[in-house]
């Protein structure tokens, strides 16, 4: 992924909760063709629409709306429960969002997230061990929404709205794939979009992690990297946006036309 908010998404607090050892597991080729097997995103400068297995999401400068059908979220046939969390952002210290038109510090808000595990397996290298410890299985899918009040260098108060999504699965040939999009808007008091976040991570590998390919597509105005402080190679220039990351390792970035 070049994110997981922090699981794509999930540098914010504790890792994902693993289901019981008796929970069933699925592979990508066991999903019926009629089911959505990934996350699809339509993006414009003022609107994001996403569809995944069992959920839809719409993001505009006015807010984030989601719809989720529990019976269709991921694959209920695994026996793994949907995990839901709401993280209160107030009173915490987070890495600021660094964008072309300002640097924004979180003062309050919430990060809501829901996910269902499919396979309880390790992701291939270069995913570091510490990430596996926090997130011990494939999230198929992960649905996160980040809605916060921020201030810029001049003390102006703005709102930041972010969708943090992920879909991880085993491929038919025994490889691994991940789709990890993060999108967001920084909105001023007049309702004008000041900056845009658009980071779309893609990861593919062959059987047993062979020939991994990964990159991030950056179409936004917020660009930053950070050292995760994990003390292991390839975690010192990780692409992030504020406290959220796409992948927990250094990844190449491409910048398609905005």
């Amino acid at each position: 992924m070049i994110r997981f908010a922090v699981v794509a998404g999930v540098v914010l607090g504790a890792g994902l909760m693993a289901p019981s050892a008796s929970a069933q597991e699925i592979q990508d080729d066991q999903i019926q063709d009629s089911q959505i097997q990934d996350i699809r995103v339509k993006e414009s400068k003022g609107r994001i629409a996403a569809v995944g297995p069992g959920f839809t999401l719409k993001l505009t400068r006015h807010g984030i709306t989601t719809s989720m059908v529990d019976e269709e979220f991921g694959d209920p046939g695994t026996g793994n429960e949907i995990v839901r969390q709401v993280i209160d952002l107030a009173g915490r210290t987070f890495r600021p969002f660094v964008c072309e038109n300002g640097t924004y510090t979180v003062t309050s808000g919430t990060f809501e997230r829901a996910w269902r595990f499919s396979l309880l397996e390790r992701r291939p290298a270069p995913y570091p061990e510490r990430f596996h410890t926090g997130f011990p299985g494939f999230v198929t899918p992960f649905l996160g929404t980040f809605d916060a009040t921020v201030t810029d260098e001049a003390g102006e108060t703005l709102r930041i709205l972010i969708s943090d999504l992920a879909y991880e699965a085993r491929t038919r040939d025994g490889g691994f794939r991940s789709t990890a999009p993060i999108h967001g808007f920084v909105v001023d008091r007049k309702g004008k979009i000041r900056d845009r976040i658009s980071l779309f991570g893609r990861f593919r590998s062959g059987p047993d992690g062979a020939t991994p390919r990964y990159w991030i597509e950056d179409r936004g105005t917020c660009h930053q990297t950070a050292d995760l402080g994990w003390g292991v190679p390839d975690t010192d220039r990780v692409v992030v946006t504020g406290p959220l990351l796409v992948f927990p390792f250094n990844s190449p970035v491409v910048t398609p036309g905005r």
Side-chain angles (χ1 to χ4, degrees):
M1 322 179 214
I2 301 173
R3 140 220 34 241
F4 202 148
V6 172
V7 97
V10 200
V11 143
L12 294 169
L16 303 181
M17 183 182 303
S20 66
S22 62
Q24 299 179 27
E25 299 179 342
I26 62 169
Q27 295 196 41
D28 199 36
D29 58 2
Q30 294 174 297
I31 301 175
Q32 298 298 315
D33 290 341
S34 61
Q35 292 180 275
I36 295 175
Q37 297 186 30
D38 213 328
I39 293 173
R40 304 168 187 171
V41 179
K42 291 185 177 180
E43 175 182 6
S44 68
K45 289 189 175 181
R47 183 176 184 273
I48 303 296
V51 178
F55 75 89
T56 60
L57 176 145
K58 183 174 73 172
L59 168 63
T60 71
R61 60 191 174 90
H62 302 294
I64 309 174
T65 58
T66 61
S67 175
M68 194 170 89
V69 180
D70 287 11
E71 294 78 9
E72 300 174 4
F73 189 73
D75 190 330
T78 62
N80 300 338
E81 298 295 328
I82 299 171
V83 182
R84 295 178 170 88
Q85 289 183 344
V86 179
I87 299 173
D88 186 353
L89 306 178
R92 299 170 180 243
T93 300
F94 297 112
R95 182 186 302 114
F97 294 86
V98 178
C99 305
E100 293 178 6
N101 298 304
T103 296
Y104 310 102
T105 301
V106 174
T107 58
S108 63
T110 58
F111 181 35
E112 299 186 26
R113 58 191 193 178
W115 65 88
R116 193 196 294 273
F117 280 108
S118 55
L119 289 171
L120 301 183
E121 290 190 11
R122 291 177 57 89
R123 300 166 183 84
Y127 283 89
E129 181 61 34
R130 184 163 171 179
F131 190 77
H132 291 296
T133 299
F135 310 116
F138 299 175
V139 287
T140 313
F142 178 94
L143 169 63
T145 59
F146 188 101
D147 186 345
T149 298
V150 298
T151 56
D152 65 8
E153 307 95 317
E156 180 181 356
T157 299
L158 304 95
R159 186 183 185 189
I160 190 165
L161 300 154
I162 301 173
S163 63
D164 178 26
L165 309 174
Y167 184 100
E168 302 177 324
R170 183 69 66 202
T171 61
R172 291 180 184 272
D173 66 357
F176 173 78
R177 67 184 178 91
S178 172
T179 301
I182 298 181
H183 292 86
F185 301 124
V186 181
V187 184
D188 67 17
R189 291 183 176 181
K190 295 181 179 179
K192 182 179 178 181
I193 295 174
R194 180 80 58 84
D195 277 295
R196 297 172 50 250
I197 298 166
S198 178
L199 299 169
F200 206 122
R202 302 181 190 274
F203 188 108
R204 300 290 185 275
S205 75
D208 299 320
T211 61
R213 296 176 295 114
Y214 46 91
W215 67 97
I216 299 173
E217 299 166 7
D218 183 358
R219 296 178 173 84
T221 62
C222 298
H223 325 283
Q224 60 189 118
T225 61
D227 185 341
L228 298 186
W230 289 356
V232 296
D234 297 325
T235 59
D236 57 337
R237 299 184 307 281
V238 174
V239 174
V240 300
T241 182
L244 309 181
L245 58 85
V246 183
F247 294 133
F249 48 81
N250 305 347
S251 305
V253 177
V254 296
T255 54
R258 293 177 186 172

